[in-house]
Amino acid sequence: MKPLRTTLTPEEMPKKWYNILPDLPEPIAPPLNPATKMPISPKDLEVIFPKALIAQEMSPDRYIDIPDEVLQAYMIANRPSPLQRAERLERLLKTPAKIYYKREDLSPGGSHKTNTSLAQAYYNMKEGVEKLTTETGAGQWGTALSLACNHFGLGCQVFMVRASYDQKPYRREMMRVYGADVHPSPSTITDFGNKMLAKDPKHPGSLGIAISEALEAAIKGGSNTKYSLGSVLNHVMMHQTIVGEETMLQFEKLDERPDYMIGCVGGGSNFAGFVFPFIGEQFKKKTDTQFIAVEPTVVPSLTKGKYEYDFGDTAGMTPLLLMYTLGHDFVPSPIHAGGLRYHGAAPTVSMLVKKKVIKPVSYQQKEVFDAAIMFARSEGLVPAPETNHAIKAAIDLALEAKKKNEKKIIAFNYSGHGLLDLAGYQNYLDGNMV
Ligand SMILES: *Cc1c(COP(=O)(O)O)cnc(C)c1O
């Protein structure tokens, strides 16, 4: 029997996260205070984040030990995760390429997001924080943070974009199962929410608005309440590197090296987590892996955005970050890949795109669902609409390899399952997707 999955034992799981900051081609531009437009001091951030995470956000250390309690929690979340070979998909495509995917769908919430939610909840708990506030779009981040807060004994308040709150009841209920307090955003419990509702009582909400509300709730909640963000920030990218570090060990076991590594990009965390350890190695050893970031054509921050300082939210409350952005008031069209509907992208990922270390590409919604159906019918798994973007890019590269008769090795991050996104598949299968 040919093993189609490469696994690691719990003992083999990496015990440190990789921090790319000291290895970047140039120092990352400092976040700016939204009021003064001057570089922000760590002290300014203490209102919303615990000290440990602020230190990680700016850390010059290449590796940071993963605390024991977080390693334990990772095992409950099904780490280490398998690297799986998509052999049936390869046969269907008749490609000489090998296709591998990293199974981040196996966590209890069904996505990679627990890799950082567990770490963030842990550090907050250690510093005596009692409650975290956050935003969620499609609901995956809210689910992951609810689970993590429950695990480490914290309260959790989630502002969920109203369109999703109404249309995706199952994610909402999952958060409530873990004990979170879920509000549709714009909500009536913050000033900014009320301001938005005064303009439009039926406001469908956006991720930017929900972030503003969660920040306001954390600031007004006092010193035992802090805020948590599921992507974009340096410490979030770092927590996700467990994914790429495991993948590196798995490729060593296979005695292979990927020619292409692919991930979809919303804020950039699953992509960064998957590729940063390999990019770090490439800076040292001049390997020739190509790193491909995939985004939706209708939210083209990396392919069409401007590289400039912008806010992370709509109200302009977050620090300004230097990144590729479509503008903080950009209103993305309502595609099913809710996790990719964000106006900016992580400063680290943005810089590496700017420096041409990462290649960004974009695809339309319909073609990524075509790819997902092909994947589901060959591999047997139903992917998240976000993940469909990575699958489409992998299939295109496998077909290019076929044309050139090249035995390329293609790896993508299978960031999550789509079992709570079947409305998107219904839309596609009924022929209503454009
Ligand atoms: C949230 C999410 C994404 C997008 O977020 P990133 O920070 O860019 O990773 C992608 N895939 C899935 C399954 C998600 O839940």
Side-chain angles (χ1 to χ4, degrees):
M1 186 199 77
K2 182 165 43 167
L4 289 180
R5 52 161 56 185
T6 307
T7 52
L8 300 171
T9 64
E11 292 73 27
E12 289 172 308
M13 187 164 79
K15 308 288 186 293
K16 295 170 194 295
W17 292 299
Y18 168 62
N19 173 25
I20 201 166
L21 294 183
D23 291 333
L24 287 174
E26 55 190 51
I28 200 98
L32 304 181
N33 184 310
T36 62
K37 308 271 154 66
M38 297 295 286
I40 206 154
S41 75
K43 258 239 119 18
D44 293 338
L45 292 171
E46 284 177 19
V47 187
I48 49 171
F49 295 124
K51 293 190 183 75
L53 293 178
I54 298 169
Q56 289 181 4
E57 188 64 17
M58 307 176 177
S59 174
D61 301 331
R62 187 166 286 121
Y63 290 97
I64 290 183
D65 288 331
I66 306 175
D68 248 18
E69 292 92 326
V70 177
L71 287 171
Q72 293 290 352
Y74 276 177
M75 277 177 234
I76 295 168
N78 253 326
R79 301 221 74 85
S81 82
L83 180 70
Q84 200 148 318
R85 173 106 181 258
E87 203 198 35
R88 285 173 57 93
L89 177 63
E90 291 165 18
R91 262 187 272 152
L92 180 73
L93 298 171
K94 299 190 173 63
T95 176
K98 286 183 181 173
I99 305 174
Y100 292 96
Y101 55 106
K102 179 69 170 159
R103 295 286 305 270
E104 291 303 304
D105 59 311
L106 297 173
S107 77
S111 81
H112 65 287
K113 292 198 170 77
T114 33
N115 299 327
T116 186
S117 69
L118 288 165
Q120 293 191 44
Y122 167 79
Y123 288 113
N124 276 287
M125 176 273 289
K126 282 306 252 191
E127 293 184 28
V129 174
E130 288 167 10
K131 183 169 126 185
L132 290 178
T133 71
T134 198
E135 69 292 329
T136 194
Q140 282 140 326
W141 169 242
T143 307
L145 192 67
S146 304
L147 174 148
C149 283
N150 177 63
H151 186 86
F152 286 110
L154 303 176
C156 187
Q157 185 176 44
V158 184
F159 293 87
M160 183 173 190
V161 174
R162 178 176 284 279
S164 300
Y165 184 92
D166 293 337
Q167 287 159 18
K168 301 198 169 178
Y170 300 121
R171 285 261 170 223
R172 183 183 75 208
E173 295 315 316
M174 202 165 163
M175 292 184 251
R176 293 176 65 213
V177 166
Y178 289 125
D181 188 8
V182 190
H183 304 273
S185 166
S187 77
T188 52
I189 64 167
T190 67
D191 291 345
F192 190 67
N194 279 314
K195 201 167 124 189
M196 290 293 123
L197 288 173
K199 274 193 216 155
D200 177 3
K202 292 210 177 95
H203 203 302
S206 75
L207 212 45
I209 293 171
I211 297 176
S212 303
E213 286 205 271
L215 274 170
E216 184 184 326
I219 293 164
K220 289 192 181 147
S223 62
N224 67 350
T225 305
K226 300 233 185 272
Y227 165 74
S228 172
L229 188 64
S231 190
V232 180
L233 299 177
N234 303 339
H235 67 267
V236 180
M237 304 294 124
M238 186 188 76
H239 298 153
Q240 292 294 350
T241 57
I242 183 88
V243 178
E245 292 183 314
E246 284 180 8
T247 307
M248 197 174 265
L249 295 176
Q250 287 161 320
F251 272 114
E252 278 166 20
K253 282 197 177 186
L254 288 163
D255 202 16
E256 290 179 358
R257 271 208 78 85
D259 294 300
Y260 300 102
M261 292 186 79
I262 306 161
C264 61
V265 171
S269 73
N270 86 86
F271 174 74
F274 188 51
V275 305
F276 277 7
F278 287 82
I279 290 182
E281 205 187 36
Q282 187 162 88
F283 287 149
K284 274 181 267 156
K285 295 194 195 157
K286 310 281 172 232
T287 57
D288 51 14
T289 304
Q290 279 191 42
F291 306 101
I292 297 160
V294 193
E295 60 184 13
T297 327
V298 294
V299 194
S301 49
L302 296 176
T303 48
K304 299 231 175 92
K306 286 203 180 110
Y307 189 61
E308 63 187 21
Y309 269 106
D310 195 9
F311 296 106
D313 68 329
T314 306
M317 292 165 73
T318 69
L320 288 149
L321 301 172
L322 181 60
M323 59 183 178
Y324 277 104
T325 175
L326 297 162
H328 61 278
D329 50 6
F330 177 79
V331 183
S333 60
I335 50 168
H336 291 283
L340 307 187
R341 295 176 67 227
Y342 184 64
H343 65 270
T348 44
V349 171
S350 293
M351 180 200 283
L352 292 167
V353 167
K354 181 86 183 156
K355 298 281 175 194
K356 302 201 184 322
V357 177
I358 293 167
K359 183 182 162 197
V361 298
S362 72
Y363 287 111
Q364 313 269 4
Q365 173 158 264
K366 169 82 166 47
E367 57 186 348
V368 305
F369 271 81
D370 290 338
I373 295 292
M374 199 186 268
F375 182 83
R377 290 181 186 170
S378 51
E379 292 300 305
L381 301 175
V382 180
E386 293 84 0
T387 311
N388 295 353
H389 292 73
I391 295 173
K392 169 65 179 163
I395 290 177
D396 275 8
L397 287 168
L399 292 174
E400 192 186 300
K402 175 178 167 182
K403 224 186 270 165
K404 299 184 185 159
N405 196 24
E406 289 176 338
K407 290 196 168 74
K408 295 287 188 194
I409 295 176
I410 300 166
F412 67 89
N413 195 4
Y414 191 79
S415 57
H417 70 62
L419 298 181
L420 293 175
D421 300 288
L422 293 174
Y425 285 92
Q426 179 181 16
N427 190 244
Y428 173 87
L429 295 167
D430 288 346
N432 296 329
M433 190 175 278
V434 284

